């Protein structure tokens, strides 16, 4: 793969987006400019997907999906922290809402779409059961400890944690995620690779080092551009949510959806190409990175600042979390996927979105 194989639009999209970001102070009040930012956001997301796939093809699995998951999580943390620090007490639950939304989007939305698309095109698809079990085990532990347990502590009224509890939760989340990455990339790497897979591009020559480095640089430019565009669009998003009479938690859903869109598109493309193993690596890895890295980072910032942080889920969200973990453990329990599993996950995701908008 040479430099000529890099599509021109994947270079132009982030450059035009950054030009718009620079020009934003002059044209921010224009509704036409806001619409342009939304179009550029979509283009930059698609460009990010392309460059992520180039890097993933070069480094191989599961490192490729891990790179994208880590990059997107850094962006998610930056968005959450900037929104929370600027929003004051009204945004104390934004980290919780965004992390929970990320889990719902990845484990139900992305997984559901991938299983449905893969099942429609290939009837059945196989994946490594051991890898899915490892990911779900860690996800269940972190999500319950970080998002459910705070409601039952007595040092601070739920859903708050004391500074020591918040620090401990951050350390535990980081330890569990670090252990998962060690298992995924070193100790049991074979758990996340499917022997005998027949992806459409497995025989394609890997990109050169030069092309890979260019794509990696453009991926970072795209991801930071996505964050900047999302921040510029955030007042319009919050205004739309408020005008629609929807709860503030919907803002967290929108943030998570914007940040996870590149991974969602990459996972869907992999499923259509009969690489559902890559799809699941992306989806479950994103969910783990989202909570395993975001919780420690946000916890550290708020412990140092001495500010309160709301982490405990409300009853309705707790039910959705438990249902997601239960259904995921059963639907991914046989190492084969069909459209039925995809439909079940999508129904849960649709229910989550509906009850978030209409509580």
């Amino acid at each position: 793969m040479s430099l000529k194989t890099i599509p021109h639009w994947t270079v132009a999209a982030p450059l035009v987006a950054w030009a718009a970001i620079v020009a934003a102070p002059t044209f921010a009040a224009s509704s036409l400019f806001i619409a342009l930012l939304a179009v550029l956001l979509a283009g930059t997301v698609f460009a990010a997907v392309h460059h992520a796939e180039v890097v993933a093809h070069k480094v191989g699995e599961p490192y490729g999906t891990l790179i994208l998951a880590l990059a997107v999580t850094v962006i998610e943390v930056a968005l959450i922290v900037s929104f929370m620090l600027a929003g004051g007490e009204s945004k104390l639950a934004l980290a919780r809402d965004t992390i929970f939304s990320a889990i719902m989007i990845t484990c139900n939305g992305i997984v559901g779409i991938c299983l449905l698309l893969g099942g429609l095109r290939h009837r059945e698809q196989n994946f490594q059961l051991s890898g899915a079990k490892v990911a779900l085990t860690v996800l269940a532990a972190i999500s319950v400890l970080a998002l459910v347990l705070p409601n039952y502590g007595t040092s601070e009224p739920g859903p708050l944690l004391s500074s020591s509890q918040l620090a401990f939760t951050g350390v535990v989340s980081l330890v569990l995620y670090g252990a998962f990455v060690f298992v995924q990339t070193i100790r049991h790497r074979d758990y996340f690779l499917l022997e005998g897979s027949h992806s459409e591009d497995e025989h394609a020559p890997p990109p050169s080092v030069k092309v890979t480095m260019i794509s990696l640089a453009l991926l970072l430019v795209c991801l930071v551009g996505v964050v900047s565009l999302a921040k510029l669009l955030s007042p319009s998003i919050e205004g739309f949510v408020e005008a629609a009479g929807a709860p503030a938690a919907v803002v967290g859903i929108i943030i998570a959806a914007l940040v996870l869109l590149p991974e969602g598109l990459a996972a869907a493309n992999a499923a259509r190409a009969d690489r559902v193993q890559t799809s699941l690596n992306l989806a479950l890895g994103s969910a783990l990175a989202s909570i395993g890295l975001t919780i420690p980072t946000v916890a550290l910032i708020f412990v140092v600042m001495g500010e309160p942080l709301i982490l405990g889920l409300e009853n309705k969200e707790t039910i959705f979390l438990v249902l997601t973990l239960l259904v995921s453990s059963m639907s991914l329990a046989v190492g084969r996927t069909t459209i039925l599993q995809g439909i079940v996950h999508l129904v849960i995701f649709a229910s989550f979105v509906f009850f978030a908008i209409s509580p």
Side-chain angles (χ1 to χ4, degrees), residues 80-294:
I80 291 173
V81 172
S82 62
F83 273 58
M84 291 184 71
L85 295 181
E89 293 185 3
S90 63
K91 292 291 188 294
L92 289 180
L94 182 62
R96 176 200 67 185
D97 295 337
T98 304
I99 293 169
F100 174 64
S101 298
I103 295 174
M104 293 294 104
I105 290 170
T106 52
C107 293
N108 290 316
I110 296 177
V111 168
I113 290 173
C114 291
L115 299 189
L116 181 62
L117 291 178
L120 289 173
R121 189 166 186 178
H122 304 286
R123 295 182 67 86
E124 282 191 354
Q125 292 180 296
N126 298 322
F127 64 92
Q128 276 279 30
L129 180 59
S130 51
K133 284 185 174 180
V134 167
L136 287 174
T137 299
V138 178
L139 180 61
I142 298 181
S143 57
V144 172
L145 289 174
L147 299 178
V148 178
L149 187 59
N151 288 324
Y152 299 95
T154 57
S155 297
E156 294 285 343
L160 297 173
L161 292 176
S162 66
S163 296
S164 59
Q165 290 172 335
L166 187 57
F168 180 79
T169 300
V171 171
V172 167
S173 299
L174 190 60
V175 168
L176 286 172
Y177 182 70
F180 170 76
V181 171
F182 175 72
V183 167
Q184 184 186 36
T185 59
I186 300 175
R187 187 75 173 188
H188 297 289
R189 184 168 175 259
D190 55 304
Y191 284 8
F192 303 87
L193 301 172
L194 182 62
E195 295 182 3
S197 62
H198 51 284
S199 66
E200 294 177 356
D201 63 346
E202 66 179 346
H203 300 297
S208 64
V209 174
K210 187 174 183 179
V211 170
T212 302
M213 295 307 295
I214 291 175
S215 285
L216 180 60
L218 287 171
L219 172 61
L220 296 177
V221 170
C222 288
L223 290 175
V224 177
V226 168
V227 172
S228 301
L229 289 169
K231 289 185 68 175
L232 289 174
L233 289 169
S234 63
S236 299
I237 293 172
E238 292 180 343
F240 173 78
V241 170
E242 184 177 347
V250 175
V251 176
I253 298 176
I254 296 174
I255 292 174
L258 287 173
V259 173
L260 292 169
L261 187 54
E263 290 178 294
L265 292 173
N269 290 336
R272 285 177 55 82
D274 202 17
R275 291 184 285 122
V276 76
Q277 181 68 58
T278 299
S279 298
L280 293 177
N281 287 349
L282 272 170
L284 298 178
S286 297
L288 284 167
S290 177
I291 189 170
L293 293 178
T294 303

Side-chain angles (χ1 to χ4, degrees), residues 16-30 33-34 36-37 228-229 231-233:
V16 175
W18 273 102
I21 292 169
V22 173
T26 304
F27 302 99
S30 170
F33 185 73
I34 296 297
L36 175 62
L37 291 180
S228 301
L229 289 169
K231 289 185 68 175
L232 289 174
L233 289 169

Side-chain angles (χ1 to χ4, degrees), residues 81 85 299-308:
V81 172
L85 295 181
L300 175 62
I301 293 172
F302 279 78
V303 167
V304 171
M305 294 177 59
E307 296 289 335

